Amino acid sequence: HHEFLITREDTALITIYNPVPWDLSSVGGLKDSVAWQGIVQELDIETGEVLFEWRSLEHVGLDETYVTPSEDHYRGIDYFHINSVDVDHDDNLLVSARETSTIYKIDRKSGEVIWRLGGKKSDFEMRPGTQFAYQHDARRQSDGTISIFDNGTTVFHNGIPKAVEESRGIVLELDEEEMTATLVREYTHPDKLFADAAGNMQVLPNGNVFIGWGRALVFSEFSNDGELLFSSSFPTNGSYRAFRFP
C-alpha cells in the first residue's frame, strides 16, 4: 500500500497491488502468467464501504509499460506499479504509475482516463525539461501546477527511458486547452542524488519545498527559488516519503 489519503469528504483513497492471471506473450512473457495491476479504491471510513473502484488493466494496456517480465522481482510483470493518488481541483483523480512513467487523470465517476501526462502515450506536448521517469508523488497544487518527484531525468534509448543518475523535484504547468506541459521550477541536490525508487516532494505553506529522496537516504528543504536550506540523511535504508509539519 503506497497511498492512504483522507479526502475533504472524509472518505479514504487507497492503492492496491492485485495479481491477475494474464497472457504476457505480447511483452515477451509466458502465455500463462500474471499481470500486477494497480487498483484505486475510495472507501467510506466509518463503514468500509467501497464507494469507487478503478482497475488499471481495464484502462491501461501492457503496451504502455517500460518493464518486461524478465526485469521484475514479482512473478509475471508489475507493469503499472501505482504509487500515488491525489484529488484534482475538479474532484477527479491524479494517479501516478511508476512503470509506465505516466500520470493519469481519472474520471472519479466513470473511471475513464481523461488524459495522460508523460510516458509513451502522453496527451501533452512535453516541453524542454518536463520529461520524467519512474516518478512518485504527483500532487495538484493550489496555484494549479503539478508537483512530481522525478526519480531520474529521462534519456531515451531505442524508445526506452533510461534514468540519468540524478533525481529532482519538479513543478509543471499544464495548459489543458493547448495540451502542453511546461517546466516552472526544478529542485536538485548539490550532491546530485539519485533515488532509484521511492521519494516525494512537499510544497510548504511558505512556498519552500521539502523533499524526501527515498533510497538516496536524504531529506532536505529548499527555498522556493531552489536554494538548499537544510539537508540531513539516514545512516542506512531510507524512507518512502518524508514530510515537514509545524
Coordinates of all heavy atoms in Angstrom, one line a residue, residues 16-75:
I16 N -3.9 -0.5 -4.2 CA -3.8 -1.9 -4.0 C -3.0 -2.5 -5.2 O -3.2 -2.1 -6.3 CB -5.2 -2.6 -4.0 CG1 -6.1 -2.0 -2.8 CG2 -5.1 -4.1 -3.9 CD1 -7.5 -2.3 -2.9
Y17 N -2.2 -3.5 -4.9 CA -1.5 -4.2 -5.9 C -2.2 -5.6 -6.1 O -2.4 -6.3 -5.1 CB 0.0 -4.5 -5.5 CG 0.8 -3.3 -5.7 CD1 0.9 -2.3 -4.7 CD2 1.6 -3.1 -6.8 CE1 1.7 -1.2 -4.8 CE2 2.4 -2.0 -6.9 CZ 2.4 -1.0 -5.9 OH 3.2 0.1 -6.0
N18 N -2.6 -5.9 -7.3 CA -3.5 -7.0 -7.5 C -3.0 -7.9 -8.6 O -3.0 -7.5 -9.8 CB -4.9 -6.5 -7.8 CG -5.9 -7.6 -8.2 OD1 -6.6 -7.5 -9.1 ND2 -6.0 -8.6 -7.4
P19 N -2.6 -9.2 -8.3 CA -2.1 -10.1 -9.4 C -3.3 -10.7 -10.1 O -4.2 -11.2 -9.5 CB -1.3 -11.1 -8.6 CG -1.9 -11.2 -7.2 CD -2.4 -9.8 -7.0
V20 N -3.2 -10.7 -11.4 CA -4.3 -11.2 -12.3 C -3.7 -12.2 -13.3 O -2.7 -11.8 -14.0 CB -5.0 -10.0 -13.0 CG1 -6.2 -10.6 -13.9 CG2 -5.6 -9.0 -12.0
P21 N -4.3 -13.4 -13.4 CA -3.8 -14.3 -14.5 C -3.9 -13.6 -15.8 O -4.9 -13.0 -16.2 CB -4.8 -15.5 -14.4 CG -5.3 -15.4 -13.0 CD -5.4 -14.0 -12.6
W22 N -2.8 -13.6 -16.6 CA -2.7 -12.8 -17.8 C -1.8 -13.4 -18.9 O -0.7 -14.0 -18.5 CB -2.3 -11.4 -17.5 CG -2.9 -10.3 -18.4 CD1 -2.3 -9.7 -19.5 CD2 -4.2 -9.7 -18.3 NE1 -3.1 -8.8 -20.0 CE2 -4.3 -8.8 -19.3 CE3 -5.2 -9.9 -17.4 CZ2 -5.4 -8.1 -19.5 CZ3 -6.4 -9.2 -17.6 CH2 -6.5 -8.3 -18.7
D23 N -2.1 -13.2 -20.1 CA -1.3 -13.6 -21.2 C -0.2 -12.5 -21.5 O -0.6 -11.4 -21.9 CB -2.1 -13.9 -22.5 CG -1.3 -14.3 -23.7 OD1 -0.1 -14.3 -23.6 OD2 -1.9 -14.5 -24.7
L24 N 1.0 -12.9 -21.2 CA 2.1 -11.9 -21.3 C 2.9 -12.0 -22.6 O 4.0 -11.4 -22.7 CB 3.0 -11.9 -20.1 CG 2.4 -11.7 -18.7 CD1 3.5 -11.7 -17.7 CD2 1.6 -10.4 -18.7
S25 N 2.4 -12.8 -23.5 CA 3.2 -13.1 -24.8 C 3.4 -11.8 -25.6 O 4.4 -11.7 -26.3 CB 2.5 -14.1 -25.6 OG 1.2 -13.8 -25.9
S26 N 2.5 -10.8 -25.4 CA 2.7 -9.6 -26.2 C 3.9 -8.7 -25.7 O 4.4 -7.9 -26.4 CB 1.4 -8.7 -26.1 OG 1.2 -8.3 -24.8
V27 N 4.4 -9.0 -24.5 CA 5.5 -8.3 -23.9 C 6.7 -9.3 -23.7 O 7.5 -9.0 -22.8 CB 5.1 -7.5 -22.7 CG1 4.2 -6.3 -23.0 CG2 4.5 -8.4 -21.6
G28 N 6.7 -10.4 -24.3 CA 7.8 -11.3 -24.2 C 7.8 -12.2 -23.1 O 8.8 -12.9 -22.7
G29 N 6.6 -12.4 -22.4 CA 6.5 -13.2 -21.3 C 5.7 -14.5 -21.6 O 5.4 -14.8 -22.8
L30 N 5.3 -15.3 -20.6 CA 4.6 -16.5 -20.8 C 3.2 -16.3 -21.0 O 2.6 -15.3 -20.6 CB 4.8 -17.4 -19.5 CG 6.2 -17.8 -19.1 CD1 6.2 -18.5 -17.8 CD2 6.8 -18.6 -20.2
K31 N 2.5 -17.2 -21.8 CA 1.1 -17.0 -22.0 C 0.3 -17.2 -20.7 O -0.7 -16.6 -20.5 CB 0.7 -18.0 -23.1 CG -0.7 -17.8 -23.6 CD -1.1 -18.7 -24.8 CE -2.5 -18.4 -25.3 NZ -2.8 -19.2 -26.5
D32 N 0.8 -18.2 -19.9 CA 0.1 -18.5 -18.7 C 0.9 -17.8 -17.5 O 1.7 -18.4 -16.9 CB 0.0 -20.0 -18.5 CG -0.7 -20.4 -17.2 OD1 -1.4 -19.5 -16.6 OD2 -0.5 -21.5 -16.7
S33 N 0.6 -16.5 -17.3 CA 1.4 -15.8 -16.3 C 0.5 -14.9 -15.5 O -0.7 -15.1 -15.4 CB 2.5 -15.0 -17.0 OG 3.5 -14.6 -16.0
V34 N 1.1 -13.8 -15.0 CA 0.4 -12.9 -14.1 C 0.8 -11.4 -14.4 O 1.9 -11.1 -14.6 CB 0.8 -13.2 -12.6 CG1 0.2 -12.1 -11.7 CG2 0.3 -14.5 -12.2
A35 N -0.2 -10.6 -14.5 CA 0.0 -9.1 -14.5 C -0.5 -8.5 -13.2 O -1.6 -8.8 -12.7 CB -0.8 -8.5 -15.7
W36 N 0.4 -7.7 -12.7 CA 0.1 -7.0 -11.4 C -0.6 -5.7 -11.8 O 0.1 -4.8 -12.3 CB 1.3 -6.8 -10.6 CG 1.8 -8.1 -10.0 CD1 2.5 -9.0 -10.7 CD2 1.7 -8.5 -8.7 NE1 2.8 -10.1 -9.8 CE2 2.3 -9.8 -8.6 CE3 1.1 -8.0 -7.5 CZ2 2.4 -10.5 -7.4 CZ3 1.2 -8.7 -6.3 CH2 1.8 -10.0 -6.3
Q37 N -1.8 -5.5 -11.5 CA -2.5 -4.2 -11.8 C -2.6 -3.3 -10.6 O -2.5 -3.8 -9.4 CB -3.9 -4.5 -12.4 CG -4.9 -5.0 -11.4 CD -6.3 -5.0 -12.0 OE1 -6.6 -4.3 -12.9 NE2 -7.2 -5.9 -11.4
G38 N -2.7 -2.1 -10.8 CA -3.0 -1.1 -9.8 C -4.4 -0.8 -9.6 O -5.2 -0.6 -10.6
I39 N -4.9 -0.8 -8.4 CA -6.3 -0.5 -8.1 C -6.4 0.7 -7.2 O -5.6 0.8 -6.2 CB -7.0 -1.7 -7.4 CG1 -7.0 -3.0 -8.3 CG2 -8.4 -1.4 -6.9 CD1 -7.6 -4.2 -7.7
V40 N -7.3 1.6 -7.4 CA -7.7 2.7 -6.5 C -9.0 2.4 -6.0 O -10.0 2.1 -6.7 CB -7.7 4.0 -7.3 CG1 -8.1 5.1 -6.3 CG2 -6.4 4.3 -7.9
Q41 N -9.2 2.4 -4.7 CA -10.5 2.4 -4.0 C -10.7 3.6 -3.2 O -9.8 4.1 -2.5 CB -10.6 1.1 -3.1 CG -10.8 -0.2 -3.9 CD -11.0 -1.3 -2.9 OE1 -10.8 -1.3 -1.7 NE2 -11.5 -2.5 -3.5
E42 N -11.9 4.1 -3.3 CA -12.4 5.1 -2.3 C -13.4 4.5 -1.4 O -14.3 3.8 -1.8 CB -13.1 6.3 -3.1 CG -13.5 7.4 -2.2 CD -13.9 8.7 -2.9 OE1 -14.1 8.6 -4.1 OE2 -14.1 9.7 -2.2
L43 N -13.1 4.6 -0.1 CA -13.8 3.9 1.0 C -14.5 4.9 1.9 O -14.0 6.0 2.2 CB -12.8 3.1 1.8 CG -11.9 2.1 1.1 CD1 -10.9 1.5 2.1 CD2 -12.7 1.1 0.4
D44 N -15.7 4.5 2.4 CA -16.3 5.2 3.5 C -15.6 4.8 4.8 O -15.5 3.6 5.1 CB -17.8 4.8 3.6 CG -18.5 5.5 4.7 OD1 -18.3 5.2 5.9 OD2 -19.3 6.4 4.4
I45 N -15.0 5.8 5.4 CA -14.1 5.4 6.6 C -14.9 4.8 7.7 O -14.4 3.8 8.3 CB -13.4 6.7 7.1 CG1 -12.4 7.2 6.0 CG2 -12.7 6.4 8.4 CD1 -11.7 8.5 6.4
E46 N -16.1 5.2 8.0 CA -16.9 4.7 9.1 C -17.3 3.2 8.8 O -17.2 2.4 9.7 CB -18.1 5.5 9.3 CG -18.2 6.1 10.7 CD -19.4 7.0 10.9 OE1 -20.5 6.4 11.2 OE2 -19.3 8.2 10.7
T47 N -17.7 2.9 7.6 CA -18.3 1.6 7.3 C -17.4 0.7 6.5 O -17.6 -0.5 6.5 CB -19.6 1.8 6.5 OG1 -19.3 2.3 5.2 CG2 -20.6 2.7 7.2
G48 N -16.4 1.2 5.9 CA -15.5 0.4 5.0 C -16.1 0.2 3.6 O -15.5 -0.5 2.8
E49 N -17.3 0.7 3.4 CA -18.0 0.5 2.1 C -17.1 1.1 0.9 O -16.6 2.2 1.0 CB -19.3 1.2 2.1 CG -20.1 1.0 0.8 CD -21.3 1.9 0.7 OE1 -21.7 2.5 1.7 OE2 -22.0 1.9 -0.4
V50 N -17.0 0.3 -0.1 CA -16.3 0.8 -1.3 C -17.2 1.7 -2.1 O -18.3 1.2 -2.6 CB -15.8 -0.4 -2.2 CG1 -15.1 0.1 -3.5 CG2 -14.8 -1.3 -1.4
L51 N -16.8 2.9 -2.3 CA -17.7 3.9 -3.0 C -17.2 4.0 -4.5 O -18.1 4.4 -5.3 CB -17.5 5.3 -2.3 CG -17.8 5.3 -0.8 CD1 -17.5 6.7 -0.3 CD2 -19.3 5.0 -0.6
F52 N -16.0 3.7 -4.8 CA -15.5 3.8 -6.1 C -14.3 2.9 -6.2 O -13.5 2.7 -5.3 CB -15.0 5.3 -6.4 CG -14.3 5.5 -7.7 CD1 -14.9 5.6 -8.9 CD2 -12.9 5.5 -7.7 CE1 -14.3 5.8 -10.1 CE2 -12.2 5.7 -8.9 CZ -12.9 5.9 -10.1
E53 N -14.2 2.3 -7.4 CA -13.0 1.4 -7.6 C -12.6 1.5 -9.1 O -13.4 1.6 -10.0 CB -13.4 -0.1 -7.4 CG -12.2 -1.0 -7.5 CD -12.5 -2.4 -7.1 OE1 -12.3 -2.7 -5.9 OE2 -13.0 -3.2 -8.0
W54 N -11.2 1.7 -9.3 CA -10.6 1.8 -10.6 C -9.5 0.7 -10.7 O -8.7 0.6 -9.8 CB -10.1 3.2 -10.8 CG -9.5 3.4 -12.1 CD1 -10.1 3.8 -13.3 CD2 -8.1 3.3 -12.5 NE1 -9.2 4.0 -14.3 CE2 -8.0 3.7 -13.9 CE3 -6.9 2.9 -11.8 CZ2 -6.8 3.7 -14.6 CZ3 -5.7 2.9 -12.5 CH2 -5.7 3.3 -13.9
R55 N -9.5 0.0 -11.8 CA -8.6 -1.1 -12.0 C -7.8 -0.8 -13.3 O -8.4 -0.6 -14.4 CB -9.3 -2.5 -12.2 CG -9.9 -2.9 -10.9 CD -10.8 -4.2 -11.1 NE -11.3 -4.6 -9.8 CZ -10.8 -5.7 -9.1 NH1 -9.8 -6.3 -9.7 NH2 -11.3 -6.0 -8.0
S56 N -6.5 -0.8 -13.2 CA -5.6 -0.3 -14.3 C -5.8 -1.2 -15.6 O -5.8 -0.7 -16.7 CB -4.2 -0.2 -13.9 OG -3.6 -1.5 -13.6
L57 N -5.9 -2.5 -15.4 CA -6.0 -3.4 -16.6 C -7.2 -3.1 -17.4 O -7.3 -3.5 -18.6 CB -5.9 -4.8 -16.2 CG -4.5 -5.4 -15.8 CD1 -4.6 -6.7 -15.2 CD2 -3.6 -5.4 -17.0
E58 N -8.2 -2.5 -16.9 CA -9.4 -2.1 -17.6 C -9.2 -0.9 -18.5 O -10.1 -0.6 -19.4 CB -10.6 -2.0 -16.7 CG -11.0 -3.2 -16.0 CD -12.1 -3.0 -14.9 OE1 -12.6 -1.9 -14.8 OE2 -12.5 -4.0 -14.2
H59 N -8.1 -0.1 -18.2 CA -8.0 1.2 -18.9 C -6.6 1.4 -19.5 O -6.4 2.2 -20.3 CB -8.3 2.3 -17.9 CG -9.6 2.2 -17.3 ND1 -10.8 2.7 -17.9 CD2 -10.1 1.7 -16.1 CE1 -11.8 2.5 -17.2 NE2 -11.4 1.9 -16.1
V60 N -5.6 0.7 -19.0 CA -4.2 0.9 -19.4 C -3.6 -0.5 -19.8 O -3.5 -1.4 -19.0 CB -3.3 1.5 -18.3 CG1 -1.9 1.7 -18.7 CG2 -3.9 2.8 -17.8
G61 N -3.2 -0.5 -21.1 CA -2.6 -1.8 -21.6 C -1.2 -2.0 -21.3 O -0.5 -1.1 -20.8
L62 N -0.8 -3.3 -21.4 CA 0.6 -3.6 -21.2 C 1.6 -2.9 -22.1 O 2.8 -2.8 -21.8 CB 0.8 -5.1 -21.3 CG 0.1 -6.1 -20.4 CD1 0.6 -7.5 -20.6 CD2 0.1 -5.7 -18.9
D63 N 1.1 -2.4 -23.3 CA 2.0 -1.7 -24.2 C 2.5 -0.4 -23.7 O 3.4 0.2 -24.3 CB 1.2 -1.5 -25.5 CG 0.0 -0.7 -25.4 OD1 -0.7 -0.8 -24.3 OD2 -0.4 0.0 -26.4
E64 N 1.9 0.1 -22.6 CA 2.4 1.4 -22.0 C 3.5 1.2 -21.1 O 4.2 2.2 -20.7 CB 1.2 2.1 -21.3 CG 0.1 2.5 -22.2 CD -0.9 3.5 -21.6 OE1 -0.5 4.3 -20.8 OE2 -2.1 3.4 -21.9
T65 N 3.9 0.0 -20.7 CA 4.9 -0.2 -19.6 C 6.3 -0.1 -20.2 O 6.5 -0.3 -21.4 CB 4.7 -1.5 -18.9 OG1 5.6 -1.5 -17.8 CG2 5.1 -2.7 -19.8
Y66 N 7.3 0.2 -19.4 CA 8.7 0.2 -19.8 C 9.5 -0.9 -19.2 O 10.7 -1.0 -19.3 CB 9.3 1.6 -19.4 CG 8.9 2.7 -20.2 CD1 8.0 3.7 -19.6 CD2 9.3 2.9 -21.5 CE1 7.6 4.8 -20.4 CE2 8.9 4.0 -22.2 CZ 8.0 5.0 -21.6 OH 7.6 6.0 -22.4
V67 N 8.8 -1.8 -18.5 CA 9.5 -3.0 -18.0 C 9.0 -4.3 -18.7 O 8.0 -4.3 -19.4 CB 9.2 -3.2 -16.4 CG1 9.7 -2.0 -15.7 CG2 7.7 -3.4 -16.2
T68 N 9.8 -5.3 -18.6 CA 9.5 -6.6 -19.2 C 9.4 -7.7 -18.0 O 9.9 -7.4 -16.9 CB 10.5 -7.0 -20.2 OG1 11.8 -7.3 -19.5 CG2 10.8 -6.0 -21.2
P69 N 8.7 -8.8 -18.3 CA 8.6 -9.8 -17.3 C 10.0 -10.2 -16.7 O 10.1 -10.5 -15.5 CB 7.9 -11.0 -18.0 CG 7.1 -10.3 -19.1 CD 8.0 -9.1 -19.5
S70 N 11.0 -10.3 -17.6 CA 12.3 -10.7 -17.1 C 13.0 -9.7 -16.1 O 13.9 -10.1 -15.4 CB 13.2 -11.0 -18.3 OG 13.4 -9.8 -19.0
E71 N 12.5 -8.5 -16.1 CA 13.1 -7.5 -15.3 C 12.5 -7.4 -13.9 O 13.0 -6.7 -13.0 CB 13.0 -6.1 -15.9 CG 13.8 -5.9 -17.2 CD 13.6 -4.6 -17.9 OE1 12.6 -3.9 -17.5 OE2 14.3 -4.3 -18.8
D72 N 11.4 -8.1 -13.7 CA 10.6 -7.8 -12.5 C 11.0 -8.8 -11.4 O 11.3 -10.0 -11.6 CB 9.1 -7.9 -12.8 CG 8.5 -6.5 -12.9 OD1 9.2 -5.6 -12.9 OD2 7.3 -6.5 -13.0
H73 N 10.8 -8.4 -10.1 CA 11.0 -9.2 -9.0 C 9.7 -10.0 -8.6 O 9.8 -10.8 -7.7 CB 11.6 -8.4 -7.8 CG 10.7 -7.3 -7.4 ND1 10.7 -6.1 -8.1 CD2 9.9 -7.1 -6.3 CE1 9.9 -5.2 -7.5 NE2 9.4 -5.8 -6.4
Y74 N 8.6 -9.7 -9.2 CA 7.4 -10.4 -9.0 C 7.3 -11.5 -10.1 O 7.9 -11.4 -11.1 CB 6.1 -9.6 -9.0 CG 6.1 -8.5 -8.0 CD1 6.3 -7.1 -8.4 CD2 5.7 -8.7 -6.7 CE1 6.2 -6.1 -7.5 CE2 5.6 -7.7 -5.8 CZ 5.9 -6.4 -6.2 OH 5.8 -5.4 -5.3
R75 N 6.5 -12.5 -9.8 CA 6.1 -13.4 -10.9 C 5.3 -12.6 -11.9 O 4.4 -11.8 -11.6 CB 5.3 -14.6 -10.4 CG 4.8 -15.5 -11.5 CD 4.1 -16.7 -11.0 NE 3.7 -17.5 -12.2 CZ 2.4 -17.7 -12.5 NH1 1.4 -17.3 -11.7 NH2 2.1 -18.4 -13.6

